[in-house]
Amino acid sequence: MPPEKAELRYGEQVIELPVIEGSQSERAVDISNLRAETGLVTLDPGYANTGSCESNITFIDGEQGILHYRGYPIEALAEHCGFLEVSYLLVNGRLPNRAELDEFTHSIRNHTMIHEDFRLFFRALPKDAHPMAACSAMVSALATFYPDSLDPRDPTEVEISIHRLLAKLPTIAAYAYKHSIGQPFMYPENSLSYVGNFLRLMFATPCEDFVVDPVVEKAVDLLLILHADHEQNCSTSTVRIVGSSHVNLFAAISAGINALWGPRHGGANQEVIAMLRAIADEGLTGREFVERAKSRDDTSRLMGFGHRVYKNFDPRAKIIKKAAFDVLERLGIHSRLLEIAVELEELALKDDYFIKRNLYPNVDFYSGVIYTAIGTPENMFTPNFAIGRLPGWIAQWLEMHEHRHKIGRPRQIYTGATQRAVTKIDER
Ligand code: SDX
């Protein structure tokens, strides 16, 4: 069947634009030649209607609440795989066999330490530095310690920088936390799992042995899987556009960490807990807060609700909500915050304001309840999100480099002053 075409009529001109169809029947008008043929550019603030690339990595159906990584439903990956297995899938395009996973795990385990001089960097940071600032700064600084793996076009250098990033981000995040509480940095313990090692780096001290709680280990591993990729979200698009200048991978990932930090994006998980705590501390009812979140006169939003793509349930939110109940029960914890979250969800899902705007719980709505229950400090929620999203950022960056690609450089419509003459300063 011949490829579909779209017609654009502009003035006397009628042009045909190719329509491309993806493997899941998504369709896009290819406007690559629009300006050359018509002199027109498109305008789409926030890119709500604009695709930046074709990708084989993650598929989201926002209407159906579907999320697949490399064709595998998120529910199946969450149930049957571990985070490093999913990381291998995202980066390599297929699930590893046992030998491949063992080799990948071994390599990651042997890159978890950071250069001893790195500790000096942390010492220079204020105690109350947000760990996301530390993570983006230290990831960018990896380029200074590893000048041997900066060329984005050299497969060997790319592979070593990928393994270094996957291995070292948990160490860097944990050190940012330890610095903020004035505790000594722990060295990685490579006999532990990826998550077990991270938990030990976060919560162990040299004063006593640390035993990894398997319930906590599994909960964090699940959360990392659920955060691992999400097509062209704000931080991933940042990694791609920064990477399109052919800067090294460390710099592109550092930019992604900064984008993720924002409260509208990955920073929302921390904002959700702050919201739940405020409701509890102020003795607000769920209805009172929901009314605030709806009011244009109030800047409050129901954090953890709404999504650019999901206009139905975020499938990750469903999995995390179930895991929250499971983890709290197994840890024997009663969470007032979870009770408030459930009440807010029930109220919002029946409220016309949220229904009309297709606002549902997203990945951030319940994740903070789990992080809080396992002792993760609130300013470490988003660094946890970054550790989870890292393999997705890497996979998307790799995919961009696998194809011929232009440097990312959007157009604009200029609406400012037309040409003016410079007058002498004494005449202004
Ligand atoms: C993540 O893109 C991704 O895939 C992101 C992510 C990933 O995995 O990478 O899924 C992770 O970032 C999840 C989102 C986390 N952010 C939050 O939970 C913050 C709260 N949510 C919103 O700020 C908002 O919903 C966004 C930013 C998530 C989406 O914004 P959009 O699509 O640009 O929608 P919008 O801001 O234009 O809102 C549309 C309407 C507006 O009302 P009207 O102007 O039409 O009257 O919905 C309202 C908004 O005021 N609205 C909300 C709301 N979210 C949107 N009203 C109250 N509470 C909310 N949470």
Side-chain angles (χ1 to χ4, degrees):
M1 198 156 101
E4 278 186 287
K5 298 272 186 193
E7 262 192 15
L8 176 70
R9 185 178 304 280
Y10 177 59
E12 297 302 309
Q13 194 180 9
V14 177
I15 65 164
E16 286 194 332
L17 294 167
V19 173
I20 61 167
E21 182 175 352
S23 57
Q24 291 275 8
S25 307
E26 296 169 304
R27 285 177 173 76
V29 179
D30 181 342
I31 58 169
S32 308
N33 297 321
L34 178 68
R35 189 167 186 274
E37 293 193 39
T38 68
L40 292 170
V41 295
T42 58
L43 190 60
D44 185 21
Y47 309 114
N49 304 283
T50 299
S52 61
C53 61
E54 294 177 76
S55 177
N56 301 330
I57 300 170
T58 290
F59 171 68
I60 299 174
D61 181 323
E63 280 62 42
Q64 303 297 319
I66 288 171
L67 170 59
H68 292 174
Y69 294 162
R70 299 285 191 184
Y72 293 94
I74 190 65
E75 296 81 1
L77 292 172
E79 186 179 346
H80 300 296
C81 297
F83 175 62
L84 278 189
E85 203 172 353
V86 170
S87 298
Y88 185 102
L89 167 68
L90 287 168
V91 169
N92 296 288
R94 59 180 177 78
L95 284 169
N97 60 35
R98 168 71 59 194
E100 289 164 332
L101 181 59
D102 290 349
E103 183 187 353
F104 185 65
T105 303
H106 176 77
S107 173
I108 301 296
R109 272 201 178 120
N110 285 279
H111 284 92
T112 48
M113 278 207 300
I114 56 176
H115 193 291
E116 282 294 296
D117 290 349
F118 241 109
R119 294 154 177 261
L120 305 175
F121 267 138
F122 286 95
R123 297 278 174 258
L125 291 173
K127 282 280 180 280
D128 57 357
H130 194 291
M132 284 298 276
C135 285
S136 65
M138 299 307 164
V139 165
S140 195
L142 286 173
T144 65
F145 283 87
Y146 300 110
D148 63 333
S149 63
L150 300 181
D151 181 351
R153 318 293 283 171
D154 179 319
T156 307
E157 295 193 19
V158 165
E159 186 183 33
I160 182 66
S161 56
I162 289 171
H163 287 210
R164 280 170 169 156
L165 273 164
L166 289 169
K168 296 179 194 308
L169 185 54
T171 307
I172 288 170
Y175 284 6
Y177 170 58
K178 285 297 195 186
H179 174 69
S180 73
I181 58 174
Q183 283 191 1
F185 297 163
M186 301 297 290
Y187 285 105
E189 174 45 69
N190 292 342
S191 63
L192 296 172
S193 71
Y194 185 83
V195 169
N197 198 23
F198 175 51
L199 292 171
R200 183 176 173 281
L201 287 165
M202 279 285 295
F203 300 117
T205 67
C207 316
E208 55 194 19
D209 290 341
F210 179 82
V211 178
V212 176
D213 180 329
V215 174
V216 173
E217 184 178 27
K218 182 158 176 45
V220 173
D221 197 86
L222 170 65
L223 287 168
L224 295 181
I225 289 171
L226 296 172
H227 287 80
D229 193 52
H230 216 238
E231 58 159 69
Q232 305 311 314
N233 58 84
C234 178
S235 54
T236 297
S237 299
T238 301
V239 170
R240 276 183 175 255
I241 203 164
V242 168
S244 73
S245 74
H246 287 189
V247 74
N248 64 77
L249 177 57
F250 301 120
I253 297 299
S254 174
I257 292 172
N258 284 309
L260 187 72
W261 188 5
R264 285 173 140 188
H265 189 15
N269 53 21
Q270 184 175 345
E271 297 294 325
V272 168
I273 291 299
M275 170 186 77
L276 297 175
R277 280 200 202 291
I279 292 169
D281 296 348
E282 292 175 31
L284 290 175
T285 65
R287 171 52 62 192
E288 284 168 331
F289 187 82
V290 163
E291 291 310 312
R292 274 195 196 174
K294 291 158 58 177
S295 165
R296 281 188 179 284
D297 303 329
D298 192 311
T299 55
S300 304
R301 278 205 157 183
L302 187 51
M303 297 310 279
F305 252 71
H307 199 276
R308 171 62 57 78
V309 176
Y310 288 122
K311 299 310 171 190
N312 192 321
F313 256 90
D314 181 333
R316 302 168 297 177
K318 281 184 181 174
I319 297 169
I320 294 175
K321 178 180 179 181
K322 182 181 176 302
F325 280 98
D326 180 41
V327 168
L328 268 64
E329 185 190 349
R330 293 171 74 179
L331 294 176
I333 294 173
H334 168 259
S335 167
R336 175 73 186 119
L337 300 182
L338 180 55
E339 287 174 343
I340 296 170
V342 170
E343 183 192 0
L344 290 172
E345 179 187 356
E346 286 169 358
L347 288 167
L349 294 184
K350 294 179 193 136
D351 188 293
D352 195 44
Y353 171 94
F354 294 89
I355 294 168
K356 272 195 331 187
R357 292 167 176 82
N358 296 309
L359 302 177
Y360 290 87
N362 59 49
V363 69
D364 293 309
F365 191 62
Y366 285 104
S367 57
V369 171
I370 297 179
Y371 282 131
T372 302
I374 64 176
T376 303
E378 287 167 31
N379 66 1
M380 285 299 294
F381 290 3
T382 312
N384 273 271
F385 192 149
I387 293 167
R389 184 52 52 88
L390 181 58
W393 286 332
I394 290 170
Q396 300 273 350
W397 178 88
L398 277 174
E399 183 174 72
M400 178 183 70
H401 275 287
E402 279 158 9
H403 303 98
R404 274 176 55 79
H405 57 281
K406 292 178 174 295
I407 189 168
R409 203 271 185 224
R411 290 279 182 161
Q412 64 163 27
I413 293 297
Y414 177 69
T415 56
T418 51
Q419 187 158 333
R420 296 187 284 182
V422 176
T423 52
K424 291 191 176 62
I425 191 160
D426 298 331
E427 295 166 10
R428 288 176 207 158

